[in-house]
Amino acid sequence: MKTSTATALAGVLIGMVLLAACAPATIPEPTSPPEPPPPPAAPALPALTPMSVDELTDITWQWTGQLDQEPAFQASVPSPENYTLTFRTDGTYAIQADCNVGGGAYTIDGANLSILPGPLTLAYCGEQSSSEVFLLLLSQIGAFASENGDLHLVTQDGNTHMVFANAGPAPALEPTPAAGSTDPAVFLGEPSGEDDFVNASNWTLFDNQCFTSRIQGGRLSMIANGVEAFPCWEVSWPMIEDFYIETLAFTPEVCESQDRYGLFVRAPDTTRGYLYGLDCDGNYSLNLFDGERTTQLVAPTASDAINRGEGTTNRLGIAVSGEDFYLYANGAYLTDVQDATFVEPGRIGYFVRAASEEPFTSSYDYLKVWVLQDEFYPPIAGAEPPAGEEIPLDPPEAGDLSATANVNLNVRAGPGMLFKVIGHVLKGQGGEILGSSPDGFWIAFSIPPEGLNAGRMSYDTGWVSANFVTLDNPSGAPLPIVTPPLLPQRVYVDQPAPGAPQLTTQQPATVRTGPKLTFPILGVTSVGASAEVLARSEDGEWWQIKLPLWFTAEGVGWVNRDFVRTQNVSNVRVIRDSSLPSVPRDVRPSASGAGNPAARALETIRVHSRPTTDSPSLGRVDAGTVMAISGRSEDGRWWAINLPTSIASDGRGWVQAAYVAATKTSNVPIIR
């Protein structure tokens, strides 16, 4: 390859010499601009043949590749055995998405295939994993066919083919009543926690005008006193974000048709949340109360999966992931719905509502919780964490504050879900801690220099969720408060118009100034944020979204496709690489001397002329760059760094504190 390139270059040089020898002194201007190079040809999609249901089912299909027509894209999957899909004859499917497992139901109508969502473990599988891409594509499938024995799953817009190889017959299901079931309790394994109601340690029992609650004989009972036309509820203490919970509910002997009871979830406080439950006619429903009004998300609906009548039992289950809610009864999938009103961690509990002035009692035998968010890492029993990034803790000495992980835990750069995962600690691992976050929900510990892999040495403090560790505090004194790093700047977007090309974030998504990791970041969106899509990158990996002009003067930002799901984007324009803005220049700030205030860039970040995002950009610094700090902004969100006067006349630039690790800054002056 080098030889042919050199030969081609030699030919070009010879041509230039001959041209120079024969050309006139003045070269005329071209009469028209040169034609742009043609776009890359789309890969030729194979000729597909119809498949029967028998050819599809009870086979272990391994994901081997992907074909996209527009923009042209073709890729192979490095480890197909880690991404499998099995369709069963009973209308259910099972998937392995790297370190995650899940399942659900599917429907077939001729060549059309719909893969219905179901609960899924949400472990972090490492930066090289294709788990999120795999799951996102499966959610968009609309048809299936065959080509030379391979299975092709085609997205609803016909643009993308997922290619699967036949890895042989799927293992036979065990001949048990649960075989082939979509019951989350079957494939999620042991729950993260369970309350058998042997005591009231997880509850604050009430006796007021609205309702009375009590724990007796291994059951929690709630009695609606029949004087309120509104549901009454109570919650337990854990704050959890993504989860599956289930409870065994008893319908009393006296039960009017509109009496309602069930689970109360995602409650940001004791006054708001989602109510999933049943009425005494056996209808299920899901409602949201936002503190002022009730919104019906799922109207009362009958299902054969629900046991009707007085004196019956039903096993209620609800899975919540981001803005997605999946409803279950007695292990059967009922429906799903989306709502992004409350997407942050919230409390769980029960509600009850009497339809008349007559008291109504509901009771429950147990409450089981499977935490699917990444504090439980991984959330399923027996799963192995990925290689590397295990952080050893400093062993405590006698009298030291320490903590022991109750489960495998993600370690984050700060006390919140918006901070990036920098490693993990394993269940049973313990070490000396520094203290807690100001709100008490997160525990901080020191990371030894050898605790992180090369390239991540800028982190000297790690944070884990306080809910999932056991503290050892010999003195009994309050934990020291550790000042956390600032949260990444939140990116706010305007709600897109109905029918407009748009995307919705499925996890906190980094927004950048361009469609490559080398472009600086503007900030991070919240889960469930919707934005108007303006264009896509030439490689199909990034979406350009509309941003408010008050947030950024350009009015646009870029989001990687792995973080989002899209609607109505098949006709958005493609921005060619040649039309992209250039990556800001590397400003090469002054390095800090030993022992002086310094900052290390955790990302490729933009340097501004003033401590505001709308001030002119001076350029960028790359991840890992060490900068000398000369001051801080009055609000503490920006560091002033030293720059050559050839770049900034005053020798100063500003970087956002959320994207750097700063040291020796206790005496840094405030610059106004």
Side-chain angles (χ1 to χ4, degrees):
M1 186 69 178
K2 290 182 180 178
T3 302
S4 61
T5 302
T7 303
L9 287 173
V12 172
L13 290 172
I14 292 171
M16 291 177 65
V17 171
L18 293 175
L19 179 62
C22 303
T26 302
I27 300 175
E29 294 291 330
T31 57
S32 61
E35 291 293 327
L45 296 181
L48 302 181
T49 58
M51 288 182 72
S52 68
V53 175
D54 290 341
E55 293 175 296
L56 178 71
T57 54
D58 290 335
I59 298 293
T60 297
W61 297 103
Q62 293 183 349
W63 185 38
T64 59
Q66 175 184 341
L67 298 172
D68 284 11
Q69 283 188 294
E70 178 61 35
F73 178 74
Q74 185 170 355
S76 298
V77 178
S79 303
E81 67 277 4
N82 292 338
Y83 304 91
T84 64
L85 177 61
T86 300
F87 297 95
R88 296 295 186 178
T89 55
D90 63 355
T92 66
Y93 69 87
I95 57 175
Q96 176 188 345
D98 204 350
C99 67
N100 290 297
V101 295
Y106 70 92
T107 61
I108 288 179
D109 181 10
N112 297 322
L113 171 67
S114 295
I115 299 178
L116 304 177
L120 175 79
T121 61
L122 298 175
Y124 172 71
C125 301
E127 293 183 358
Q128 302 304 315
S129 175
S130 299
S131 174
E132 295 174 356
V133 177
F134 181 61
L135 297 171
L136 180 62
L137 289 175
L138 286 180
S139 70
Q140 300 173 352
I141 294 305
F144 72 104
S146 175
E147 189 260 335
N148 292 332
D150 288 341
L151 168 66
H152 281 240
L153 298 185
V154 186
T155 54
Q156 296 165 9
D157 59 7
N159 188 63
T160 300
H161 286 217
M162 297 181 73
V163 184
F164 292 80
N166 187 330
L173 293 171
E174 296 295 327
T176 65
S181 173
T182 60
D183 188 347
V186 173
F187 61 79
L188 288 179
E190 291 298 317
S192 306
E194 181 175 357
D195 193 339
D196 290 327
F197 303 126
V198 295
N199 56 51
S201 60
N202 292 325
W203 304 91
T204 302
L205 302 181
F206 291 88
D207 187 2
N208 56 33
Q209 185 180 22
C210 187
F211 76 108
T212 301
S213 58
R214 59 172 177 254
I215 289 179
Q216 186 176 3
R219 289 188 185 180
L220 168 66
S221 297
M222 298 182 68
I223 303 100
N225 292 326
V227 294
E228 298 280 349
F230 195 78
C232 314
W233 55 70
E234 67 172 296
V235 295
S236 188
W237 56 267
M239 297 286 288
I240 54 177
E241 182 173 0
D242 295 324
F243 55 85
Y244 173 71
I245 63 174
E246 72 169 31
T247 189
L248 185 63
F250 295 84
T251 307
E253 297 295 335
V254 178
C255 185
E256 297 188 17
S257 62
Q258 298 304 308
D259 289 338
R260 291 181 58 233
Y261 60 95
L263 293 163
F264 187 62
V265 301
R266 275 274 179 88
D269 49 45
T270 59
T271 65
R272 302 170 293 169
Y274 297 89
L275 300 88
Y276 165 51
L278 307 179
D279 60 33
C280 288
D281 279 346
N283 299 308
Y284 66 89
S285 60
L286 178 68
N287 295 309
L288 162 69
F289 183 69
D290 63 7
E292 296 181 358
R293 61 185 179 275
T294 298
T295 302
Q296 189 175 79
L297 302 177
V298 177
T301 306
S303 171
D304 293 339
I306 297 172
N307 298 318
R308 296 175 174 81
E310 300 167 339
T312 59
T313 62
N314 282 285
R315 184 161 53 95
L316 293 181
I318 179 170
V320 182
S321 175
E323 62 179 2
D324 299 309
F325 294 75
Y326 309 95
L327 309 184
Y328 294 83
N330 299 309
Y333 166 79
L334 300 175
T335 190
D336 64 273
V337 69
Q338 294 180 331
D339 186 83
T341 304
F342 301 132
V343 295
E344 303 297 332
R347 302 188 187 278
I348 58 175
Y350 292 97
F351 79 91
V352 65
R353 177 186 180 274
S356 67
E357 295 183 357
E358 294 296 322
F360 165 64
T361 301
S362 63
S363 58
Y364 307 91
D365 186 71
Y366 62 78
L367 177 65
K368 296 180 180 180
V369 183
W370 288 261
V371 179
L372 304 181
Q373 67 200 50
D374 67 5
E375 277 90 343
F376 277 83
Y377 178 89
I380 55 173
E384 292 293 331
E389 299 191 79
E390 180 182 336
I391 300 177
L393 305 183
D394 285 326
E397 298 180 1
D400 285 344
L401 282 171
S402 64
T404 302
N406 300 329
V407 294
N408 296 331
L409 281 174
N410 272 346
V411 178
R412 292 187 174 269
M417 297 292 287
L418 284 180
F419 289 98
K420 70 184 332 181
V421 175
I422 60 175
H424 63 263
V425 295
L426 300 179
K427 179 179 179 180
Q429 187 176 352
E432 180 184 355
I433 65 171
L434 303 175
S436 74
S437 58
D439 60 11
F441 292 139
W442 295 80
I443 298 297
F445 60 86
S446 177
I447 299 177
E450 70 278 7
L452 287 173
N453 290 345
R456 297 197 173 182
M457 300 304 292
S458 54
Y459 298 105
D460 56 6
T461 303
W463 297 80
V464 297
S465 174
N467 285 339
F468 311 126
V469 299
T470 299
L471 294 175
D472 184 7
N473 184 0
S475 70
L479 295 182
I481 301 301
V482 179
T483 302
L486 294 174
L487 275 173
Q489 174 172 278
R490 184 66 64 90
V491 174
Y492 296 93
V493 292
D494 295 326
Q495 187 71 20
Q502 57 190 273
L503 58 77
T504 302
T505 58
Q506 297 180 296
Q507 56 183 300
T510 301
V511 182
R512 296 183 179 270
T513 60
K516 288 183 174 62
L517 295 177
T518 51
F519 283 93
I521 52 179
L522 294 169
V524 178
T525 68
S526 58
V527 177
S530 295
E532 181 178 348
V533 173
L534 303 176
R536 77 175 81 190
S537 62
E538 190 171 3
D539 61 7
E541 293 293 320
W542 297 79
W543 298 105
Q544 186 189 63
I545 62 173
K546 182 179 180 181
L547 297 178
L549 291 175
W550 59 262
F551 183 81
T552 175
E554 293 80 8
V556 297
W558 291 84
V559 180
N560 190 274
R561 70 175 188 174
D562 291 350
F563 295 107
V564 303
R565 68 169 185 277
T566 56
Q567 299 178 49
N568 308 321
V569 296
S570 57
N571 294 322
V572 299
R573 66 191 180 99
V574 176
I575 296 182
R576 305 297 177 189
D577 290 346
S578 58
S579 302
L580 291 174
S582 59
V583 178
R585 62 176 176 170
D586 187 347
V587 299
R588 300 194 180 280
S590 302
S592 174
N596 293 327
R600 182 191 295 269
L602 304 178
E603 300 270 2
T604 299
I605 56 177
R606 182 182 287 188
V607 181
H608 288 264
S609 60
R610 297 189 304 277
T612 60
T613 55
D614 59 358
S615 64
S617 172
L618 300 175
R620 78 178 199 283
V621 292
D622 293 328
T625 302
V626 177
M627 302 159 278
I629 291 177
S630 59
R632 75 174 81 207
S633 62
E634 195 166 9
D635 61 7
R637 294 182 174 273
W638 295 79
W639 294 114
I641 62 172
N642 295 330
L643 295 180
T645 55
S646 60
I647 295 175
S649 59
D650 60 358
R652 180 186 302 145
W654 293 87
V655 295
Q656 293 187 63
Y659 303 119
V660 301
T663 57
K664 311 292 184 182
T665 59
S666 58
N667 295 319
V668 170
I670 294 175
I671 298 177
R672 292 182 172 85

